Amino acid sequence: MLVRVLFAALFLNCKCANITIGRNQRGHQNLIKCITSTIKEYFTTGSSVAYVDMNPDDDELLRGLHSTATVPLVLRLPTARLPVSNSGYLITARTVEAFCNGFKDMLRDFKWNPSARILIVIKSLKQFELKTIFDVLLKQHVINVVVVNGTDDALLYTYNPFDHYGCGRNYKHVEALGPCLQTDTNLFPNKLVTGLRNCTLRASVPHRPPFAINPARVKKGTKMGAEQYALQLITEPEEIKVKYTYDFDFETYTTITPDSEIDGPLDKLNKGEADVMFGSAMVVLSRIEAFTFITGYLDVNDEILFLVKRSENVPAWKVLYLVFQPSFSWISLNIRFLLADQPNGPK
Ligand SMILES: *[C@@H]1O[C@H](CO)[C@@H](O)[C@H](O)[C@H]1NC(C)=O
Ligand SMILES: *[C@@H]1O[C@H](CO)[C@@H](O)[C@H](O)[C@H]1NC(C)=O
Ligand SMILES: *[C@@H]1O[C@H](CO)[C@@H](O)[C@H](O)[C@H]1NC(C)=O
């Protein structure tokens, strides 16, 4: 089925500095209590939770989680490819560097879900590494995330790139939420408090009348394609601005490999060069998995059909006769005669 769609942003590559730190102490009862209670409180809605273990020589946490057994956990390695989607991820890593490398592998997974709730436990986390980790998360559009310092204090950190009209592109600071067992803050609030108000979306469109029009290439008349108009209808009430570039070659189709490598124009979204793209593409499974899209006006889902019975073949001479078919015509004539006989009936 060919539909016209608007695509929106998704994955990028993970670039991390090499940071290596020694191992940490044992016996983290508070940390385990913190993680199990967080999982219990915030991860019970939706489908299964993936436990991505980037630190396979430590099963203390796994044992702790297993004994509480409140949420179905799918234990997996970062490189695993499982045909299940996850509504939550618990990721444990020894260092920020190990996290970054494992995270790069996770992004290759077809079922990777950047809007899931994510709890990241780093066994050894220094203050200056917070920026490294949140920069990586920002680039991948991971918003619902809490980072835990994997010591017994279990200090919690998060960020909000939509705060202060950040438009999901930058954040002012990392928020320290304090020791896990003492905090009563909502760890996974709705972060889109100011929405995208006052943000500028970078839209990449082809010149393809009547769907999208590059005003520089039309002499007079319409300056905007139907799809641009559709986007305007969505963005204007929300006070979102749109900046157009006309560099999208719509004759080249985008392909996506099983490793989520993207080749073709839609890679602009992948590289963060565009926020929105207009175009037509076959909605095959790989594109559905890799992109978020708004279906457009040629979508066959929104169709009204009138089914009319085909008339039967009749010889021409019968047409006149059919007009006086007994059923309706004669009955209505009879009624008229009856009514005409009444003193006050129609004359
Ligand atoms: C990280 O370390 C590895 C091996 O020590 C090295 O090959 C790689 O270039 C380093 N990466 C960065 C970004 O420094
Ligand atoms: C994590 O905890 C250790 C030990 O208490 C501390 O030295 C380190 O600064 C903490 N890191 C962060 C980012 O809070
Ligand atoms: C949004 O932008 C307009 C015009 O640039 C400005 O007047 C207004 O204060 C901005 N609103 C916010 C909430 O930043």
Side-chain angles (χ1 to χ4, degrees):
M1 133 195 34
L2 188 71
V3 297
R4 304 196 59 79
V5 289
L6 305 177
F7 296 95
L10 80 164
F11 322 130
L12 296 150
N13 284 326
C14 175
K15 278 213 181 74
C16 283
N18 270 346
I19 303 150
T20 318
I21 289 144
R23 294 201 58 183
N24 235 314
Q25 318 85 332
R26 310 210 123 260
H28 297 325
Q29 288 319 304
N30 285 346
L31 175 69
I32 291 169
K33 219 160 129 193
C34 156
I35 293 165
T36 48
S37 63
T38 307
I39 295 281
K40 209 159 128 189
E41 190 170 348
Y42 296 99
F43 287 65
T44 43
T45 53
S47 52
S48 65
V49 176
Y51 177 16
V52 187
D53 196 359
M54 300 180 184
N55 189 21
D57 57 349
D58 181 10
D59 55 2
E60 193 186 6
L61 176 62
L62 185 60
R63 262 184 279 133
L65 283 167
H66 195 68
S67 62
T68 56
T70 50
V71 180
L73 280 180
V74 179
L75 180 63
R76 53 185 291 174
L77 291 172
T79 46
R81 301 284 175 263
L82 303 177
V84 287
S85 6
N86 300 112
S87 57
Y89 291 89
L90 167 64
I91 305 172
T92 57
R94 197 180 304 154
T95 62
V96 170
E97 188 197 358
F99 167 77
C100 289
N101 290 333
F103 192 54
K104 234 185 280 179
D105 285 330
M106 283 177 65
L107 297 177
R108 305 247 167 273
D109 184 8
F110 239 74
K111 292 284 181 181
W112 160 241
N113 175 10
S115 19
R117 291 182 167 182
I118 303 181
L119 188 65
I120 302 168
V121 185
I122 309 281
K123 268 195 112 178
S124 178
L125 180 66
K126 292 275 190 304
Q127 203 75 37
F128 71 88
E129 292 170 313
L130 287 170
K131 187 169 162 18
T132 312
I133 196 163
F134 282 107
D135 281 355
V136 167
L137 294 168
L138 177 69
K139 237 181 150 184
Q140 304 306 328
H141 309 282
V142 173
I143 309 298
N144 300 311
V145 61
V146 173
V147 175
V148 188
N149 188 5
T151 59
D152 208 35
D153 293 341
L155 297 173
L156 305 181
Y157 296 92
T158 189
Y159 76 149
N160 188 358
F162 288 100
D163 215 1
H164 303 104
Y165 298 92
C167 303
R169 293 211 190 95
N170 49 62
Y171 60 98
K172 283 221 157 57
H173 54 261
V174 171
E175 284 171 55
L177 301 175
C180 176
L181 292 179
Q182 287 164 31
T183 184
D184 48 12
T185 321
N186 179 2
L187 299 185
F188 294 94
N190 172 23
K191 293 189 175 175
L192 268 161
V193 274
T194 55
L196 289 173
R197 202 146 8 103
N198 269 15
C199 296
T200 304
L201 292 180
R202 295 157 304 167
S204 171
V205 297
H207 177 63
R208 198 186 181 198
F211 305 116
I213 291 173
N214 179 351
R217 289 176 61 180
V218 289
K219 285 203 182 75
K220 55 177 184 218
T222 319
K223 297 288 187 207
M224 189 185 270
E227 286 171 347
Q228 286 152 304
Y229 181 66
L231 186 64
Q232 185 184 304
L233 288 182
I234 300 169
T235 53
E236 254 184 15
E238 300 289 326
E239 296 173 41
I240 302 167
K241 292 170 216 117
V242 183
K243 185 170 163 273
Y244 287 102
T245 50
Y246 302 94
D247 54 358
F248 176 3
D249 174 14
F250 69 90
E251 281 173 348
T252 313
Y253 261 37
T254 298
T255 54
I256 302 161
T257 68
D259 264 355
S260 293
E261 301 269 0
I262 297 167
D263 182 30
L266 290 185
D267 199 33
K268 281 179 200 297
L269 294 173
N270 188 28
K271 287 194 186 129
E273 292 167 9
D275 302 313
V276 182
M277 293 179 82
F278 299 172
S280 52
M282 303 290 280
V283 181
V284 292
L285 188 64
S286 62
R287 292 199 189 100
I288 292 173
E289 302 275 11
F291 295 95
T292 314
F293 55 85
I294 302 168
T295 49
Y297 52 88
L298 288 186
D299 189 356
V300 290
N301 292 331
D302 304 325
E303 200 170 43
I304 300 175
L305 280 179
F306 292 96
L307 298 174
V308 182
K309 190 171 178 261
R310 192 171 171 273
S311 63
E312 286 159 25
N313 291 333
V314 288
W317 64 267
K318 263 194 171 179
V319 174
L320 184 66
Y321 168 78
L322 280 173
V323 174
F324 295 101
Q325 279 256 301
S327 53
F328 184 74
S329 309
W330 295 119
I331 289 170
S332 60
L333 276 175
N334 286 338
I335 288 172
R336 286 190 66 83
F337 289 137
L338 282 174
L339 289 174
D341 287 344
Q342 303 297 317
N344 300 324
K347 300 269 161 357

